[in-house]
Amino acid sequence: MRRILVPTDFSDEARNAYEVAISIARRTGAAIKLLHVVETPYYTSNFSATGDVMVGSDGMEQVYMLRLLENTKMQMSELLRTVPHEGVEVVHEVDVDRPINKIKRTIKEDEVDLVVMGSKGSSGLDEFLIGSNTEKVVRAADCPVLTVKHRIPDFDVREIVLASDFKREIRGAMDRFKEFQQLFGARIHLVYINTPGAFESSNNVRQKLQYTAEKYGLRNYTINVYNDVMEEDGILHFANDIRADMIMMATHGRTGFAHLLSGSIAEDLVNHTSIPVLTVHLK
């Protein structure tokens, strides 16, 4: 792992994510990029991130953007000053764009290995209508995304939940999962959630999980079948039962209408659990 991207909106959750990224960087030797994206309405599209005025912008727009960028740079300086990062290379960038567009472009151009983002979570109508930039990144990023809600002063992972239906090919994600397990020397708990609508015999499921573990050469793992009404609830309840430090899941990154129809358990977990969630997009 060489490059970690930390998008920040200067919220407490984003600061928590930055602290976790620093802990990971100290273990891996990775460099961190702090990125803040100024998302502007259509009428400020004639302004650049450096404060240069483009042709066609008016005086009020110039004043608004100059003040916004000045305030943003002060917040970035304060974040760099107040969060210790000795021994970790940290660079920062401020840009004017749509956050998801800039984040996707940065992942590609900088060859980012991991995105660490804060998540406020949401529920009800707000979740359905608005969504969050974190969800969008989980859905679209070509690299693993670790979402963090609460402050974890000494980020250390000992117990990891790896939840899946274990029916699809997850080889691309498994290499990333094993990398995190080895990074922390953690134990992986493979878990299949048995629900009334998709029930399988425990014996068949355990054989399937054992086959998966052997196929991918897992070490230090447990096999688990957990009964619950819904998959998301089962993952959360199981993770809480074993006091998991992290949940890992693969996501297919569906977008648009297909996403609304099918939903995404990984994205729901990002919203609803206080446990850090590592998602890997299946190409």
Side-chain angles (χ1 to χ4, degrees):
M1 190 179 298
R2 297 181 301 162
R3 297 181 179 91
I4 300 173
L5 175 64
V6 183
T8 181
D9 60 1
F10 308 113
S11 63
D12 289 341
E13 291 82 3
R15 183 188 180 99
N16 297 339
Y18 177 39
E19 291 180 344
V20 166
I22 290 172
S23 294
I24 295 173
R26 287 200 170 109
R27 286 178 177 267
T28 62
I32 293 175
K33 172 178 275 191
L34 273 173
L35 174 67
H36 178 76
V37 184
V38 179
E39 185 172 20
T40 60
Y42 71 94
Y43 55 79
T44 59
S45 60
N46 294 321
F47 220 93
S48 74
T50 59
D52 297 326
V53 183
M54 309 298 285
V55 176
S57 58
D58 59 34
M60 289 299 293
E61 180 181 342
Q62 294 177 36
V63 171
Y64 168 78
M65 285 300 298
L66 284 171
R67 289 181 176 175
L68 181 58
L69 289 170
E70 181 181 358
N71 182 61
T72 296
K73 291 172 182 176
M74 290 176 59
Q75 289 178 294
M76 186 69 81
S77 296
E78 180 70 8
L79 181 61
L80 289 166
R81 184 183 66 83
T82 56
V83 178
H85 59 271
E86 293 81 6
V88 176
E89 178 186 349
V90 179
V91 299
H92 63 277
E93 180 182 358
V94 175
D95 200 357
V96 178
D97 203 339
R98 293 191 180 278
I100 185 60
N101 293 345
K102 175 61 180 180
I103 291 169
K104 287 171 64 177
R105 192 163 62 249
T106 300
I107 290 171
K108 182 177 180 179
E109 293 175 353
D110 290 6
E111 298 180 337
V112 170
D113 300 298
L114 174 68
V115 175
V116 184
M117 289 190 73
S119 173
K120 292 181 174 64
S122 56
S123 60
L125 189 61
D126 285 344
E127 178 181 348
F128 180 76
L129 293 177
I130 301 170
S132 68
N133 283 317
T134 303
E135 284 181 73
K136 293 174 184 176
V137 174
V138 166
R139 203 176 305 149
D142 290 331
C143 67
V145 179
L146 178 63
T147 55
V148 178
K149 281 196 179 80
H150 301 301
R151 186 165 186 260
I152 310 174
D154 298 305
F155 185 63
D156 191 19
V157 178
R158 294 299 174 190
E159 309 294 339
I160 299 175
V161 171
L162 174 50
S164 174
D165 60 11
F166 300 97
K167 296 176 182 176
R168 305 180 183 93
E169 177 59 53
I170 57 173
R171 178 178 297 278
M174 189 61 77
D175 290 341
R176 298 291 192 174
F177 295 152
K178 288 171 63 177
E179 181 181 354
F180 264 83
Q181 179 194 21
Q182 292 164 7
L183 179 63
F184 292 97
R187 177 169 50 174
I188 286 185
H189 302 270
L190 302 180
V191 61
Y192 177 92
I193 307 302
N194 235 345
T195 62
F199 185 82
E200 291 193 44
S201 74
S202 295
N203 186 54
N204 288 344
V205 173
R206 289 182 183 279
Q207 289 181 16
K208 187 185 304 181
L209 268 60
Q210 186 63 47
Y211 172 79
T212 298
E214 293 174 1
K215 177 180 179 180
Y216 296 114
L218 291 184
R219 297 289 184 271
N220 192 16
Y221 64 89
T222 68
I223 299 295
N224 304 272
V225 181
Y226 196 90
N227 299 323
D228 215 313
V229 176
M230 297 177 61
E231 288 179 82
E232 179 195 336
D233 291 342
I235 295 169
L236 292 175
H237 294 155
F238 176 75
N240 288 330
D241 285 351
I242 69 164
R243 298 185 178 181
D245 303 298
M246 180 187 292
I247 298 171
M248 301 194 301
M249 289 195 69
T251 176
H252 287 270
R254 290 189 178 94
T255 59
F257 192 57
H259 168 70
L260 291 178
L261 287 175
S262 65
S264 168
I265 295 175
E267 292 162 35
D268 288 343
L269 284 173
V270 166
N271 268 331
H272 299 144
T273 183
S274 60
I275 301 170
V277 179
L278 180 74
T279 55
V280 178
H281 186 260
L282 291 174
K283 305 288 190 302

